[in-house]
Amino acid sequence: MCSGDFEDWKSGLLDKIKNITPTLATKLSAIGINTYWDLLLHIPIRYEDLTKVYNITDVKVGAVAQIEGEIVCATVVNKRTKQLQVQITDGNEIITLIFFHFYPNYVSQYQVGKKIRAFGEVKAGFGTSKSIIHPKVQSVNYTPNLSNTFSSIYGTTNGLKQNQIVKIIEEALLLLDQIDILPNNLIANLPKMSTALLTLHKLTPKQFNTEAHNEALTRLKMDELIAQQLILYKAYELKHNNESTVLKPRATYTRMLLDSLPYKLTHEQTKVLGEIYADIAKPTQMNRLLQGDVGSGKTIVATMAMLVAVENGYQAAIMAPTEILAQQHYIKTKQLLHKIDIEVVWLSGSLTSKQKKTVYNDIKTGVAKIIIGTHAIFQKDVEFNNLALITVDEQHRFGVEQRLALQAKGMNPHQLMMSATPIPRTLAMSYYADLDISTIDKLPPGRTPIKTILINSGRRFEVIKFVAEMCSKNSQVYWVCPLIEESENLDLQNAINTFNELQDSLNGFRVGLVHGKLKPTEKASVMKEFSEGKIQVLVATTVIEVGVDVPNASIMVIEHSERMGLSQLHQLRGRVGRGSVDSQCILLYQAPLGEIAKRRLKVIYENNDGFIIANEDLAIRGPGELLGQKQSGLPALRFANLDTDLALLKEAKELAKKISIKYPDIATKFISLWFNSSEHFLKV
Ligand code: ADP
Ligand code: MG
């Protein structure tokens, strides 16, 4: 197979490597090996050193080594279980090889006088003698020469033998010279990819743990990162080539809104708004992520952007991940626009079919100008008149499929994603590289800092007393009980118990309860009473996590804070500190604390800045989990590690840009080589 045909590397595993039978191919497929390329990337999980033979006397107990000698005797011994014991000697000392699993005919293979090599971990045997349990054995008669490379040990699966993998990889390595697709001069400081792979598969004792070994690994990571960056670059290009509506501010509705606000936009808000305006004034689709900490004032920015669409005669929509959050957006938007005469509609799965029909009709005819709801707004029955801009709140909560459904509406509306979970730089550079990012990194003025207090739940009654005192001073309180999926009913019971307990001990104050099992209308009415100050204490499961805005609420009590994630805690804490009074966040925890819980609580106690917290979260959880691999739609990295390979990532990003521009054909080849089946990502 020296045709050099690139396509061969992506397929044809079976035809091209003669040692692969269809049965073997099925087994390889089970461990993700479907192509030549996959086979080459199946690098050893460890190495065994069979390049040397040690004197039995020289190997210490605990060492992993190869020794050689003549068989002295081979006997089956009946201890607790049957075992085969083979003693060999190199003239100076005897060592015992022990096998617990053996077929009867094995015994005859160990004829006295035969010379064999045995490899394994040397253990203390009986008395002063040494032994090796289940050594790897070779007859010296058959393989007299020692190998000069390590023996590679590969990851394998049921029914796939180590020596089978070794054999087919040996065969694949013969064709290595054809895989250097990237121009060599671009990555001159590292070995060629073919050299790197050869080094890793056939590592010599001299190379082990040296610069050469390290550089080979680095090259592998580098190419993987370049491939990832190329795919993101392409996704960026595709998205930014979608045609969309040109929207320019007309200073009608937008002016009216600005004039009606009790405050001025901050410098930060004006800056990001300028970035958004510049995007939507182009005939191509905006794909912008607006990130800003909880309470940083993203809502008004999004509303301004939507009004630009409306004052140009188009529709705009907001999609939020939960019913309660979508409803909050609806209420807030109505409030913000109360002086402006445009139709804002609410669309959710829980509307009656009659209500839906009216709303659908208003959306279709264009009477509805701003449409707010959950993903219900992208069901197939919903037909827009002329949607030009869509805001997606808490975008990381939506999966790839929902984002695709949005795109499939056909009109390529400008997209403004919002997130209150700031994306750490490594992630922004890798998984979100297909979006433009605007950041609000200062909160609006007039905020009072939130004091965070950690209290052992044994002192709960003191907290209740404090809450009573604060209520008598006209403060309002959130009391959050976490919801853990496995025991939803139990947790609901906790919330109900807490509700009863607080009602009993807070005489004269009204306590409300809101949880996921309530009907949306019930939830909404409790929330309304709370925001109007008719309820002083709101007991809630974590349904209030995002977006709820009640400025008079100044105390946040979180039960079982040790069970919650960092970003969740930060989001919850951000519900208070929105008005002018001093705010407190009381974290109740159940001792004893595990290591991770301790670390998390320390971070939340010491930090108020969402970016720092997000970075710590990344450090504790790792990028995969933080991101939700499934939601990113991108294949996971196998070799590079975002926590430790930041410098490489930066380099790969620059190289990918260069390759995309100068060598577009190579870019396409390289992407399909690495990510055979990830094309769907490009459509999102
Ligand atoms: P988030 O970014 O979490 O969505 P919001 O948009 O809900 O934040 O804003 C939080 C609070 O800050 C709201 O009560 C809003 O009225 C207020 N706010 C927004 N912008 C400003 C500003 N420029 N000056 C003062 N207060 C502001
Ligand atoms: Mg918000």
Side-chain angles (χ1 to χ4, degrees):
M1 209 300 295
C2 276
S3 67
D5 185 353
F6 165 77
E7 286 304 315
D8 290 344
W9 288 100
K10 290 185 7 183
S11 58
L13 184 63
L14 258 173
D15 330 326
K16 305 299 176 199
I17 295 199
K18 57 178 192 314
N19 279 313
I20 299 184
T21 60
T23 334
L24 194 53
T26 316
K27 285 176 184 163
L28 287 171
S29 187
I31 48 172
I33 300 176
N34 296 302
T35 66
Y36 266 141
W37 181 244
D38 294 339
L39 199 53
L40 290 175
L41 290 189
H42 195 63
I43 61 167
I45 44 176
R46 61 188 172 85
Y47 302 98
E48 288 181 348
D49 185 2
L50 301 181
T51 66
K52 293 185 202 76
V53 168
Y54 292 88
N55 289 328
I56 299 175
T57 315
D58 292 345
V59 290
K60 298 207 167 62
V61 168
V64 177
Q66 176 165 255
I67 45 102
E68 184 178 291
E70 257 182 44
I71 298 176
V72 182
C73 68
T75 42
V76 176
V77 180
N78 258 320
K79 294 228 168 165
R80 234 170 310 159
T81 55
K82 247 188 191 175
Q83 50 177 267
L84 168 62
Q85 292 190 354
V86 179
Q87 293 194 318
I88 65 172
T89 177
D90 58 2
N92 292 316
E93 192 175 332
I94 288 180
I95 190 164
T96 309
L97 314 177
I98 300 171
F99 302 87
F100 294 105
H101 314 286
F102 60 95
Y103 296 109
N105 66 341
Y106 270 28
V107 187
S108 62
Q109 285 177 18
Y110 293 99
Q111 293 153 355
V112 173
K114 194 172 159 186
K115 211 168 174 192
I116 59 172
R117 284 186 194 131
F119 174 89
E121 187 185 342
V122 177
K123 307 225 179 227
F126 320 102
T128 53
S129 75
K130 294 166 182 164
S131 68
I132 304 180
I133 294 167
H134 279 278
K136 209 175 241 183
V137 175
Q138 280 179 305
S139 158
V140 180
N141 299 340
Y142 293 123
T143 32
N145 296 329
L146 288 166
S147 155
N148 49 24
T149 63
F150 284 155
S151 304
S152 296
I153 306 297
Y154 295 99
T156 172
T157 177
N158 251 353
L160 185 60
K161 293 206 186 78
Q162 194 56 237
N163 59 7
Q164 283 178 301
I165 298 198
V166 169
K167 215 156 136 194
I168 55 176
I169 288 183
E170 291 273 344
E171 200 182 330
L173 289 176
L174 296 176
L175 313 161
L176 253 186
D177 56 329
Q178 297 162 45
I179 61 149
D180 292 303
I181 298 178
L182 296 182
N184 277 327
N185 58 330
L186 284 182
I187 315 173
N189 58 335
L190 289 173
K192 285 196 297 191
M193 188 60 172
S194 54
T195 314
L197 285 171
L198 193 63
T199 304
L200 294 171
H201 284 290
K202 313 281 291 170
L203 197 67
T204 66
K206 260 197 193 146
Q207 289 168 326
F208 183 64
N209 270 348
T210 63
E211 189 89 350
H213 187 181
N214 201 24
E215 281 182 349
L217 281 170
T218 307
R219 174 67 205 229
L220 198 57
K221 292 177 179 181
M222 178 65 112
D223 276 33
E224 180 178 46
L225 288 170
I226 290 176
Q228 190 205 46
Q229 290 300 311
L230 282 173
I231 207 171
L232 284 162
Y233 195 84
K234 195 161 170 186
Y236 182 94
E237 297 247 286
L238 280 180
K239 285 183 182 176
H240 290 75
N241 283 335
N242 285 337
E243 275 181 31
S244 197
T245 325
V246 172
L247 301 172
K248 291 189 178 146
R250 308 263 172 223
T252 56
Y253 295 139
T254 44
R255 184 78 261 156
M256 284 156 82
L257 176 59
L258 283 181
D259 288 345
S260 72
L261 290 178
Y263 52 79
K264 271 208 175 79
L265 294 189
T266 63
H267 171 76
E268 303 274 319
Q269 285 169 320
T270 313
K271 178 196 74 185
V272 298
L273 202 51
E275 290 164 354
I276 293 166
Y277 281 2
D279 278 358
I280 61 180
K282 289 184 206 149
T284 51
Q285 187 185 27
M286 169 170 74
N287 280 280
R288 189 168 284 278
L289 175 69
L290 171 58
Q291 57 173 358
D293 209 344
V294 190
S296 61
K298 298 183 291 293
T299 310
I300 182 70
V301 172
T303 311
M304 287 293 284
M306 290 196 290
L307 285 185
V308 176
V310 178
E311 65 190 10
N312 278 276
Y314 292 93
Q315 292 172 306
I318 306 181
M319 174 164 79
T322 65
E323 182 104 12
I324 204 161
L325 181 54
Q327 201 150 28
Q328 280 277 324
H329 272 296
Y330 178 64
I331 295 166
K332 256 199 240 180
T333 309
K334 288 284 267 190
Q335 270 166 11
L336 277 172
L337 303 182
H338 72 280
K339 288 202 176 136
I340 304 173
D341 184 25
I342 55 177
E343 190 72 16
V344 178
V345 298
W346 160 246
L347 180 55
S348 93
S350 60
L351 293 183
T352 66
S353 45
K354 197 173 152 206
Q355 288 169 318
K356 269 186 202 158
K357 224 169 142 193
T358 319
V359 177
Y360 286 166
N361 194 51
D362 286 353
I363 296 174
K364 191 173 169 182
T365 56
V367 170
K369 291 299 179 193
I370 294 183
I371 299 99
I372 302 179
T374 58
H375 57 271
I377 65 177
F378 284 102
Q379 302 310 302
K380 48 176 192 318
D381 300 342
V382 184
E383 216 178 302
F384 289 90
N385 185 273
N386 58 1
L387 181 69
L389 186 136
I390 161 96
T391 299
V392 183
D393 199 9
E394 301 299 327
Q395 62 86 30
H396 58 282
R397 292 235 191 154
F398 288 98
V400 172
E401 269 162 43
Q402 281 152 331
R403 282 156 68 192
L404 273 175
L406 193 157
Q407 201 77 346
K409 279 285 157 185
M411 304 186 41
N412 292 336
H414 293 292
Q415 291 186 23
L416 179 64
M417 329 277 187
M418 297 203 288
S419 175
T421 310
I423 300 166
R425 222 159 52 96
T426 25
L427 287 186
M429 268 174 69
S430 48
Y431 293 100
Y432 287 93
D434 58 322
L435 294 175
D436 297 297
I437 298 182
S438 290
T439 306
I440 303 182
D441 45 22
K442 270 203 199 81
L443 299 185
R447 295 294 161 80
T448 47
I450 306 161
K451 196 168 157 202
T452 302
I453 307 162
L454 283 163
I455 296 183
N456 189 316
S457 56
R459 290 169 54 200
R460 212 159 173 273
F461 65 96
E462 288 175 45
V463 177
I464 296 176
K465 222 172 111 195
F466 172 72
V467 163
E469 200 182 304
M470 294 311 287
C471 283
S472 66
K473 291 181 184 161
N474 276 335
S475 274
Q476 282 176 281
V477 180
Y478 291 104
W479 191 297
V480 176
C481 307
L483 196 74
I484 309 284
E485 265 170 47
E486 305 95 80
S487 55
E488 210 176 314
N489 287 329
L490 201 77
D491 288 311
L492 181 55
Q493 194 50 49
N494 282 342
I496 292 169
N497 291 347
T498 304
F499 169 71
N500 290 334
E501 179 190 7
L502 292 179
Q503 246 184 347
D504 289 347
S505 33
L506 297 173
N507 254 331
F509 302 111
R510 270 195 70 202
V511 182
L513 174 64
V514 58
H515 56 77
K517 293 255 163 83
L518 291 182
K519 287 199 196 108
T521 47
E522 293 171 326
K523 266 190 246 175
S525 89
V526 179
M527 293 307 295
K528 187 159 175 278
E529 283 191 289
F530 187 62
S531 56
E532 286 168 354
K534 292 178 186 153
I535 288 176
Q536 278 77 45
V537 180
L538 182 67
V539 177
T541 54
T542 37
V543 289
I544 60 154
E545 187 184 334
V546 276
V548 178
D549 192 12
V550 180
N552 190 49
S554 65
I555 311 285
M556 167 67 66
V557 182
I558 304 178
E559 291 212 51
H560 284 295
S561 59
E562 79 280 357
R563 291 194 199 167
M564 292 197 197
L566 267 180
S567 72
Q568 206 181 13
L569 287 171
H570 181 62
Q571 293 270 345
L572 284 172
R573 182 171 58 183
R575 300 300 115 218
V576 293
R578 299 190 154 222
S580 49
V581 285
D582 284 348
S583 293
Q584 267 136 339
C585 176
I586 300 170
L587 302 175
L588 287 171
Y589 65 87
Q590 186 93 51
L593 291 174
E595 267 319 301
I596 292 192
K598 222 181 253 173
R599 235 174 114 185
R600 277 201 299 249
L601 291 178
K602 184 167 186 287
V603 170
I604 203 80
Y605 178 72
E606 289 174 356
N607 297 284
N608 257 313
D609 182 326
F611 274 92
I612 296 175
I613 291 168
N615 269 318
E616 293 291 334
D617 206 17
L618 183 69
I620 294 174
R621 293 203 281 167
E625 206 191 323
L626 186 64
L627 194 65
Q629 203 63 257
K630 277 183 259 128
Q631 306 215 343
S632 80
L634 260 187
L637 292 169
R638 289 168 59 187
F639 305 108
N641 176 341
L642 291 184
D643 296 336
T644 50
D645 297 322
L646 180 59
L648 269 190
L649 175 61
K650 280 185 193 155
E651 213 176 313
K653 193 179 171 75
E654 270 161 37
L655 285 172
K657 194 165 176 190
K658 223 182 257 175
I659 296 165
S660 297
I661 294 166
K662 272 176 95 173
Y663 312 99
D665 293 348
I666 291 179
T668 313
K669 268 187 185 181
F670 199 69
I671 289 175
S672 72
L673 183 64
W674 274 88
F675 302 122
N676 219 346
S677 55
S678 302
E679 281 80 14
H680 71 279
F681 174 75
L682 296 175
K683 298 192 203 104
V684 180

